[in-house]
mmCIF file of all heavy atoms in Angstrom:
data_model
loop_
_atom_site.group_PDB
_atom_site.id
_atom_site.type_symbol
_atom_site.label_atom_id
_atom_site.label_comp_id
_atom_site.label_asym_id
_atom_site.label_seq_id
_atom_site.Cartn_x
_atom_site.Cartn_y
_atom_site.Cartn_z
ATOM 1 N N GLU A 11 53.158 -167.779 -95.924
ATOM 2 C CA GLU A 11 51.935 -167.044 -96.261
ATOM 3 C C GLU A 11 51.158 -167.765 -97.360
ATOM 4 O O GLU A 11 49.924 -167.806 -97.345
ATOM 5 C CB GLU A 11 52.285 -165.616 -96.707
ATOM 6 C CG GLU A 11 52.745 -164.723 -95.573
ATOM 7 C CD GLU A 11 53.209 -163.359 -96.056
ATOM 8 O OE1 GLU A 11 52.945 -163.035 -97.235
ATOM 9 O OE2 GLU A 11 53.844 -162.631 -95.261
ATOM 10 N N GLN A 12 51.877 -168.330 -98.312
ATOM 11 C CA GLN A 12 51.228 -169.088 -99.381
ATOM 12 C C GLN A 12 50.521 -170.318 -98.804
ATOM 13 O O GLN A 12 49.382 -170.638 -99.196
ATOM 14 C CB GLN A 12 52.265 -169.530 -100.407
ATOM 15 C CG GLN A 12 51.685 -170.306 -101.588
ATOM 16 C CD GLN A 12 52.765 -170.786 -102.533
ATOM 17 O OE1 GLN A 12 53.590 -171.635 -102.184
ATOM 18 N NE2 GLN A 12 52.800 -170.222 -103.729
ATOM 19 N N ALA A 13 51.177 -171.007 -97.869
ATOM 20 C CA ALA A 13 50.564 -172.172 -97.231
ATOM 21 C C ALA A 13 49.296 -171.774 -96.480
ATOM 22 O O ALA A 13 48.297 -172.506 -96.484
ATOM 23 C CB ALA A 13 51.558 -172.840 -96.285
ATOM 24 N N ASP A 14 49.328 -170.602 -95.840
ATOM 25 C CA ASP A 14 48.146 -170.117 -95.118
ATOM 26 C C ASP A 14 47.018 -169.778 -96.090
ATOM 27 O O ASP A 14 45.844 -170.091 -95.833
ATOM 28 C CB ASP A 14 48.522 -168.889 -94.292
ATOM 29 C CG ASP A 14 47.356 -168.355 -93.487
ATOM 30 O OD1 ASP A 14 46.870 -169.069 -92.594
ATOM 31 O OD2 ASP A 14 46.911 -167.215 -93.766
ATOM 32 N N SER A 15 47.365 -169.137 -97.204
ATOM 33 C CA SER A 15 46.355 -168.801 -98.211
ATOM 34 C C SER A 15 45.738 -170.064 -98.802
ATOM 35 O O SER A 15 44.515 -170.145 -98.998
ATOM 36 C CB SER A 15 46.998 -167.957 -99.324
ATOM 37 O OG SER A 15 46.061 -167.660 -100.336
ATOM 38 N N THR A 16 46.577 -171.066 -99.058
ATOM 39 C CA THR A 16 46.082 -172.330 -99.590
ATOM 40 C C THR A 16 45.184 -173.034 -98.580
ATOM 41 O O THR A 16 44.174 -173.646 -98.947
ATOM 42 C CB THR A 16 47.255 -173.247 -99.969
ATOM 43 O OG1 THR A 16 48.041 -172.607 -100.980
ATOM 44 C CG2 THR A 16 46.770 -174.592 -100.494
ATOM 45 N N PHE A 17 45.541 -172.941 -97.305
ATOM 46 C CA PHE A 17 44.726 -173.558 -96.255
ATOM 47 C C PHE A 17 43.280 -173.079 -96.309
ATOM 48 O O PHE A 17 42.342 -173.874 -96.151
ATOM 49 C CB PHE A 17 45.318 -173.265 -94.875
ATOM 50 C CG PHE A 17 44.366 -173.562 -93.744
ATOM 51 C CD1 PHE A 17 44.032 -174.871 -93.417
ATOM 52 C CD2 PHE A 17 43.779 -172.525 -93.021
ATOM 53 C CE1 PHE A 17 43.130 -175.140 -92.382
ATOM 54 C CE2 PHE A 17 42.880 -172.790 -91.996
ATOM 55 C CZ PHE A 17 42.551 -174.100 -91.677
ATOM 56 N N LYS A 18 43.080 -171.795 -96.517
ATOM 57 C CA LYS A 18 41.723 -171.239 -96.530
ATOM 58 C C LYS A 18 40.861 -171.880 -97.613
ATOM 59 O O LYS A 18 39.628 -171.956 -97.478
ATOM 60 C CB LYS A 18 41.785 -169.725 -96.707
ATOM 61 C CG LYS A 18 42.415 -168.991 -95.527
ATOM 62 C CD LYS A 18 42.558 -167.508 -95.801
ATOM 63 C CE LYS A 18 43.031 -166.738 -94.567
ATOM 64 N NZ LYS A 18 44.364 -167.156 -94.109
ATOM 65 N N LYS A 19 41.502 -172.364 -98.689
ATOM 66 C CA LYS A 19 40.770 -173.053 -99.752
ATOM 67 C C LYS A 19 40.745 -174.565 -99.503
ATOM 68 O O LYS A 19 39.729 -175.217 -99.710
ATOM 69 C CB LYS A 19 41.421 -172.753 -101.104
ATOM 70 C CG LYS A 19 41.489 -171.273 -101.449
ATOM 71 C CD LYS A 19 42.331 -171.035 -102.696
ATOM 72 C CE LYS A 19 42.517 -169.547 -102.960
ATOM 73 N NZ LYS A 19 43.441 -169.310 -104.115
ATOM 74 N N TRP A 20 41.881 -175.097 -99.071
ATOM 75 C CA TRP A 20 42.005 -176.536 -98.875
ATOM 76 C C TRP A 20 41.033 -177.046 -97.811
ATOM 77 O O TRP A 20 40.455 -178.136 -97.962
ATOM 78 C CB TRP A 20 43.441 -176.870 -98.490
ATOM 79 C CG TRP A 20 43.747 -178.327 -98.357
ATOM 80 C CD1 TRP A 20 44.086 -178.995 -97.218
ATOM 81 C CD2 TRP A 20 43.767 -179.307 -99.405
ATOM 82 N NE1 TRP A 20 44.310 -180.311 -97.487
ATOM 83 C CE2 TRP A 20 44.118 -180.530 -98.822
ATOM 84 C CE3 TRP A 20 43.513 -179.244 -100.780
ATOM 85 C CZ2 TRP A 20 44.231 -181.707 -99.563
ATOM 86 C CZ3 TRP A 20 43.607 -180.409 -101.519
ATOM 87 C CH2 TRP A 20 43.965 -181.625 -100.917
ATOM 88 N N LYS A 21 40.816 -176.274 -96.751
ATOM 89 C CA LYS A 21 39.917 -176.725 -95.685
ATOM 90 C C LYS A 21 38.471 -176.835 -96.170
ATOM 91 O O LYS A 21 37.651 -177.501 -95.522
ATOM 92 C CB LYS A 21 39.993 -175.780 -94.483
ATOM 93 C CG LYS A 21 39.399 -174.401 -94.715
ATOM 94 C CD LYS A 21 39.473 -173.551 -93.455
ATOM 95 C CE LYS A 21 38.856 -172.173 -93.670
ATOM 96 N NZ LYS A 21 38.889 -171.364 -92.429
ATOM 97 N N GLN A 22 38.155 -176.196 -97.292
ATOM 98 C CA GLN A 22 36.800 -176.247 -97.840
ATOM 99 C C GLN A 22 36.599 -177.428 -98.793
ATOM 100 O O GLN A 22 35.477 -177.691 -99.216
ATOM 101 C CB GLN A 22 36.488 -174.944 -98.591
ATOM 102 C CG GLN A 22 36.616 -173.679 -97.758
ATOM 103 C CD GLN A 22 35.602 -173.599 -96.625
ATOM 104 O OE1 GLN A 22 34.546 -174.233 -96.691
ATOM 105 N NE2 GLN A 22 35.904 -172.826 -95.600
ATOM 106 N N THR A 23 37.673 -178.131 -99.129
ATOM 107 C CA THR A 23 37.556 -179.255 -100.050
ATOM 108 C C THR A 23 36.902 -180.446 -99.360
ATOM 109 O O THR A 23 36.902 -180.563 -98.130
ATOM 110 C CB THR A 23 38.929 -179.678 -100.595
ATOM 111 O OG1 THR A 23 39.784 -180.026 -99.495
ATOM 112 C CG2 THR A 23 39.567 -178.551 -101.386
ATOM 113 N N SER A 24 36.368 -181.351 -100.156
ATOM 114 C CA SER A 24 35.706 -182.536 -99.610
ATOM 115 C C SER A 24 36.744 -183.583 -99.205
ATOM 116 O O SER A 24 37.897 -183.566 -99.649
ATOM 117 C CB SER A 24 34.775 -183.139 -100.658
ATOM 118 O OG SER A 24 35.515 -183.629 -101.765
ATOM 119 N N PHE A 25 36.306 -184.514 -98.354
ATOM 120 C CA PHE A 25 37.180 -185.625 -97.996
ATOM 121 C C PHE A 25 37.579 -186.405 -99.244
ATOM 122 O O PHE A 25 38.710 -186.884 -99.354
ATOM 123 C CB PHE A 25 36.467 -186.560 -97.014
ATOM 124 C CG PHE A 25 36.266 -185.974 -95.647
ATOM 125 C CD1 PHE A 25 35.109 -186.251 -94.929
ATOM 126 C CD2 PHE A 25 37.215 -185.160 -95.061
ATOM 127 C CE1 PHE A 25 34.912 -185.720 -93.663
ATOM 128 C CE2 PHE A 25 37.037 -184.614 -93.804
ATOM 129 C CZ PHE A 25 35.878 -184.902 -93.096
ATOM 130 N N GLU A 26 36.654 -186.527 -100.191
ATOM 131 C CA GLU A 26 36.935 -187.271 -101.407
ATOM 132 C C GLU A 26 38.063 -186.626 -102.215
ATOM 133 O O GLU A 26 38.927 -187.317 -102.753
ATOM 134 C CB GLU A 26 35.670 -187.365 -102.278
ATOM 135 C CG GLU A 26 34.578 -188.254 -101.708
ATOM 136 C CD GLU A 26 33.821 -187.616 -100.546
ATOM 137 O OE1 GLU A 26 33.930 -186.367 -100.356
ATOM 138 O OE2 GLU A 26 33.136 -188.342 -99.815
ATOM 139 N N GLU A 27 38.059 -185.290 -102.274
ATOM 140 C CA GLU A 27 39.107 -184.592 -103.018
ATOM 141 C C GLU A 27 40.460 -184.761 -102.338
ATOM 142 O O GLU A 27 41.473 -185.006 -103.002
ATOM 143 C CB GLU A 27 38.764 -183.108 -103.139
ATOM 144 C CG GLU A 27 39.739 -182.330 -104.002
ATOM 145 C CD GLU A 27 39.311 -180.893 -104.244
ATOM 146 O OE1 GLU A 27 38.134 -180.559 -103.976
ATOM 147 O OE2 GLU A 27 40.155 -180.105 -104.711
ATOM 148 N N ARG A 28 40.473 -184.627 -101.028
ATOM 149 C CA ARG A 28 41.737 -184.802 -100.296
ATOM 150 C C ARG A 28 42.243 -186.227 -100.433
ATOM 151 O O ARG A 28 43.441 -186.460 -100.641
ATOM 152 C CB ARG A 28 41.544 -184.452 -98.822
ATOM 153 C CG ARG A 28 41.142 -183.012 -98.578
ATOM 154 C CD ARG A 28 40.853 -182.789 -97.102
ATOM 155 N NE ARG A 28 39.954 -181.654 -96.904
ATOM 156 C CZ ARG A 28 39.318 -181.399 -95.774
ATOM 157 N NH1 ARG A 28 39.483 -182.201 -94.728
ATOM 158 N NH2 ARG A 28 38.509 -180.354 -95.670
ATOM 159 N N ALA A 29 41.330 -187.196 -100.312
ATOM 160 C CA ALA A 29 41.710 -188.598 -100.453
ATOM 161 C C ALA A 29 42.267 -188.871 -101.849
ATOM 162 O O ALA A 29 43.213 -189.649 -102.004
ATOM 163 C CB ALA A 29 40.514 -189.503 -100.173
ATOM 164 N N GLY A 30 41.696 -188.209 -102.852
ATOM 165 C CA GLY A 30 42.188 -188.380 -104.215
ATOM 166 C C GLY A 30 43.634 -187.957 -104.362
ATOM 167 O O GLY A 30 44.424 -188.626 -105.042
ATOM 168 N N ILE A 31 43.993 -186.847 -103.713
ATOM 169 C CA ILE A 31 45.387 -186.387 -103.756
ATOM 170 C C ILE A 31 46.298 -187.381 -103.055
ATOM 171 O O ILE A 31 47.388 -187.718 -103.557
ATOM 172 C CB ILE A 31 45.516 -184.986 -103.114
ATOM 173 C CG1 ILE A 31 44.805 -183.934 -103.964
ATOM 174 C CG2 ILE A 31 46.994 -184.616 -102.927
ATOM 175 C CD1 ILE A 31 45.396 -183.728 -105.348
ATOM 176 N N LEU A 32 45.872 -187.889 -101.894
ATOM 177 C CA LEU A 32 46.703 -188.850 -101.161
ATOM 178 C C LEU A 32 46.909 -190.129 -101.972
ATOM 179 O O LEU A 32 48.005 -190.704 -101.974
ATOM 180 C CB LEU A 32 46.077 -189.181 -99.809
ATOM 181 C CG LEU A 32 45.975 -188.050 -98.780
ATOM 182 C CD1 LEU A 32 45.591 -188.612 -97.415
ATOM 183 C CD2 LEU A 32 47.278 -187.254 -98.669
#
Side-chain angles (χ1 to χ4, degrees):
E11 288 175 13
Q12 181 183 67
D14 182 64
S15 178
T16 299
F17 166 70
K18 294 175 173 62
K19 302 171 186 175
W20 184 246
K21 69 178 181 178
Q22 302 295 337
T23 58
S24 65
F25 290 144
E26 290 75 16
E27 185 174 346
R28 298 175 204 165
I31 292 296
L32 295 191

